[in-house]
Each structure stands twice: as C-alpha cells, then as structure tokens.
Amino acid sequence: MLNADEKMLIQHAWEKVLGHQEDWGAEALERMFIVYPQTKVYFPHFDLHHDSEQIRHHGKKVLAALENAVHHMDNLSAALSKLSDLHAYNLRVDPVNFKLLSHCFQVVMAVHLGAEYSPQVHVAFDKFLVAVSTVLAEKYR
Ligand code: HEG
C-alpha cells in the first residue's frame, strides 16, 4: 500500500485540485468517453456532448468521492463502502473500466500540474487510484 511519503505527495497534489473539482472531473470523464468509447454504455441516460451539464455534475461527484478517499487513505474500504455497493450491485461496471478512468484522471492531473506532476507524484497517484478502484470492485464476487 501507500507509504507515508506517498500519502504526503497525494495530499499535497490534491491541494492543487481544490476549486477545480467540477472542471477536472468533467475533463477526465470527457477524455474517457472519447478515448475509450466503450465506457459510454454505462451512461445511456446522459447527454455526453462537450460541456454537458450531466457530465459536469457527475465529474464533480466522482472527484468528491476521490477527495473523501484522500482524507481516508488508511481506511479506504470503510470510507468507500457505500460506493462500492453501488458499483458492484447496481451499476455493475466491469472493473476494467476503473483503469481507464484512472488513466484519464492522471492525464488531467499531468496537464494541469505540469512539472509538479513529477514521476514520484505520478506513481503515488497511480497506487492511490489502484487502491480506490480495488475497493470499488471488491464486492463483485
Ligand atoms: Mg462511478 C455513479 C464515483 C468509476 C459509472 N460513481 C458514481 C457516483 C460516484 C462515483 C460518487 C455517484 C453516486 C451517487 O450518486 O450516490 N465512479 C466513482 C469513482 C470512480 C468511478 C470514484 C473511480 C475512481 N463509475 C466509474 C467507472 C464507470 C462508472 C469507471 C463506468 C465506466 N458511476 C458510473 C455510473 C454512475 C456512477 C453509470 C451512475 C450515474 C448516474 O446515473 O447519475
């Protein structure tokens, strides 16, 4: 799991996200829908056009969940338990898709943080997103 240095890097990087949750969340989702169009099957009820209110609203929710995870890195299973139920029992999102969204979010971070998104921050974030995705998929079987 994440060591103390990595947790610090994630908390520090997250400070840069504050104030941009809706924009950056929507950007990550839009990238996912364009780069991996198979992910759109889970959102038949959404307007998926650029700047769609639904994408913005959903992006804000996804980043709020990630922010909650940043605040509970030592206890992700408990912190994300309800969301894990939702994804496993109601939405039934194939777990491969978590990697796709995680990758798109990493690109968004890199674009906005530039040089500050160093390889050390990148690997810490990668581990964090894998940990979150694991929890969201852990109730599938
Ligand atoms: Mg999921 C709903 C978070 C990956 C498809 N997702 C939600 C909600 C949150 C969330 C917070 C709203 C829950 C609520 O309203 O109570 N999602 C979340 C995270 C991640 C993730 C943190 C990964 C890091 N989701 C994900 C992926 C897909 C997906 C990869 C599909 C490609 N999520 C999905 C759908 C909904 C949610 C279809 C319901 C959307 C709606 O109808 O409003």
Side-chain angles (χ1 to χ4, degrees), residues 48-116:
L48 297 182
H49 291 103
H50 178 67
D51 251 351
S52 128
E53 263 314 302
Q54 278 175 311
I55 294 186
R56 295 188 62 79
H57 190 61
H58 188 59
K60 190 175 172 182
K61 280 202 238 174
V62 172
L63 259 64
L66 288 179
E67 188 161 318
N68 180 41
V70 169
H71 292 145
H72 296 93
M73 280 189 277
D74 292 324
N75 202 358
L76 283 181
S77 284
L80 298 174
S81 176
K82 276 179 75 177
L83 209 52
S84 177
D85 284 345
L86 180 77
H87 284 78
Y89 304 131
N90 296 71
L91 302 171
R92 308 225 170 127
V93 174
D94 185 318
V96 296
N97 293 290
F98 291 109
K99 281 198 195 338
L100 305 180
L101 179 58
S102 296
H103 177 67
C104 290
F105 186 59
Q106 294 253 28
V107 172
V108 170
M109 291 290 283
V111 164
H112 291 287
L113 270 59
E116 280 188 78

